[in-house]
Amino acid sequence: MNSTDPASGYQRTHDRSPGPDRAAHNQATARRAALAICTMADVAAGVLGLWIVLHLLDANQANPFVEFVRGTADWLSGWAQDIFTMDTEDLRIVLNFGLPAVIYLLLGHGIAARLNRA
């Protein structure tokens, strides 16, 4: 501590190159972010798939759980509603809710794979 430069301790820490600990930390952070993105994509696709199944099985629309799933699925697929306008209601539901589910899975897992490679 006989140094005349009061900031010398700070300079030494900034001059160091990132070591293996820093690289491992960055990699672990990227893996956690990738896992979170995969999980969100899987949950979104799962809710959309669940709504498709509930609709095809003629679930009770007045049931609070069915209402929750439908509201969440509507919100998740709001950007893709009425892309397909089929005369058959079941086919329209499968396509309009299935397409966003597939897109969420592809994007989520693609982004996660990219993060894991970085």
Side-chain angles (χ1 to χ4, degrees):
M1 293 278 170
N2 294 333
S3 174
T4 57
D5 185 10
S8 64
Y10 294 110
Q11 290 174 350
R12 276 186 243 133
T13 59
H14 288 291
D15 290 340
R16 285 190 296 175
S17 64
D21 292 337
R22 183 70 170 173
H25 175 70
N26 289 344
Q27 188 177 24
T29 302
R31 288 189 190 280
R32 281 192 296 270
L35 179 62
I37 291 170
C38 269
T39 302
M40 287 187 286
D42 291 345
V43 168
V47 168
L48 292 166
L50 180 60
W51 168 242
I52 291 169
V53 170
L54 289 173
H55 176 79
L56 293 176
L57 296 176
D58 292 324
N60 180 7
Q61 300 290 322
N63 181 286
F65 176 72
V66 176
E67 287 179 2
F68 171 76
V69 172
R70 180 180 183 160
T72 306
D74 282 340
W75 182 78
L76 287 169
S77 65
W79 57 270
Q81 288 303 306
D82 296 328
I83 287 179
F84 302 101
T85 55
M86 309 292 185
D87 291 333
T88 307
E89 178 73 11
D90 290 343
L91 183 59
R92 189 179 61 78
I93 293 292
V94 168
L95 293 175
N96 284 326
F97 288 92
L99 177 66
V102 169
I103 289 174
Y104 285 136
L105 285 174
L106 290 175
L107 284 176
H109 286 264
I111 291 169
R114 179 79 173 157
L115 284 174
N116 279 329
R117 277 184 267 164

